[in-house]
Amino acid sequence: MRMFSDKALLIATHNSGKMEEFRHLLAPMGIDVTSAKDHDLPEPEETGTTFVENARIKAHAAAQATGLPALADDSGIEVDGLDGAPGVYTADWAETPNGRDFVMAMTKTHEALEAKNAPYPRTARFCATFVLAWPDGHDEVFAGKVEGQVIWPMRGAQGHGYDPMFQPDGYYITFAEMPSDEKNKISHRADAFRKFVKIFG
C-alpha cells in the first residue's frame, strides 16, 4: 500500500454536503483540502456499474486534470427488499430536470417496497467506496458500510441524501436526526475513512 505524504488533497466532488463531511473527517490531518468545484472541474460521466468503478472514474479524472492526489467516493444505499437497489444508482433515482430530489427518491423507494409487500424490518445498508488516485495513475481503494433499515415516514432534518429514511442498527433515530459528529463516527464514510487514515503512517 502506498503511503500518503502530500500536503494537499483534492476531494473529487461537487456535493457541498459530502464536502463538509470530508472537511470534518480530514480536519485533524492538517492537509489543505479543496473540492472539484473549487478547481472548476467538470463532473465526469459515471459509467461504472459498481461503487469502486465510479469512484475510480472521478478520482483519476481529478488527479489528471490538476496534478494533485484526488480522493473520490461513490456511495449509495442498498435495500434488501429491492434486491440491493438503488445501490450504485442511488443518485440517479433522485435525478429530475431541475436537479436531485431525494424526497422524491425516498418516496419512490418506499412505494417500491410497499408494492412488493416487503417484510419488516426492511434491512438496508449504506455503502461507501473511497479511491485515492495519484497523478501517476496509482490508486488505493477503501470500502466501508453501515447496516440498518429503511423506515417510513422520513424523520429528521440533518444530513443529506437518504439520511431521513435510514435508521442504523442499534439506534432508534435516523441519520437525519443525529448530530453530525455522532453520524460521522458510525457512517459508511467513517468506516471507509478509518481504513483510509492508516496510509498516513
Side-chain angles (χ1 to χ4, degrees):
M1 180 179 287
R2 180 183 291 187
M3 303 304 285
F4 187 86
S5 58
D6 299 79
K7 298 301 181 187
L9 179 64
L10 191 162
I11 307 299
T13 185
H14 290 74
N15 182 311
S16 58
K18 192 178 288 188
M19 187 63 193
E20 188 58 34
E21 216 169 306
F22 274 115
R23 283 191 195 281
H24 178 85
L25 290 168
L26 288 162
M29 303 296 168
I31 300 167
D32 181 30
V33 179
T34 54
S35 71
K37 190 174 183 180
D38 294 332
H39 293 268
D40 294 319
L41 299 180
E43 293 189 68
E45 188 176 357
E46 297 179 30
T47 55
T49 57
T50 64
F51 294 121
V52 68
E53 287 174 0
N54 282 335
R56 274 200 166 110
I57 289 168
K58 292 182 281 190
H60 284 284
Q64 292 301 313
T66 63
L68 293 169
L71 180 68
D73 94 308
D74 198 54
S75 55
I77 190 168
E78 296 176 340
V79 181
D80 293 327
L82 300 179
D83 301 317
V88 72
Y89 304 107
T90 296
D92 295 339
W93 280 37
E95 288 295 348
T96 76
N98 300 313
R100 291 176 180 167
D101 181 346
F102 278 100
V103 171
M104 177 194 75
M106 288 183 281
T107 302
K108 178 180 177 180
T109 301
H110 171 68
E111 289 174 349
L113 286 165
E114 289 291 289
K116 292 186 70 172
N117 197 27
Y120 289 91
R122 290 174 168 173
T123 54
R125 70 206 48 80
F126 267 125
C127 301
T129 298
F130 292 1
V131 171
L132 175 62
W134 281 266
D136 66 3
H138 182 82
D139 69 39
E140 298 285 351
V141 178
F142 313 89
K145 65 181 178 179
V146 58
E147 299 284 346
Q149 61 181 295
V150 289
I151 58 93
W152 198 260
M154 298 170 278
R155 300 199 311 261
Q158 307 295 318
H160 53 92
Y162 271 73
D163 285 357
M165 192 183 192
F166 184 78
Q167 181 176 300
D169 283 350
Y171 289 79
Y172 295 97
I173 58 174
T174 67
F175 268 176
E177 293 175 296
M178 286 184 183
S180 61
D181 58 345
E182 185 174 356
K183 175 194 166 183
N184 288 338
K185 291 175 184 174
I186 65 167
S187 73
H188 47 313
R189 286 195 189 91
D191 188 28
F193 190 76
R194 278 189 286 272
K195 298 165 186 174
F196 167 64
V197 295
K198 293 178 181 177
I199 70 169
F200 288 89

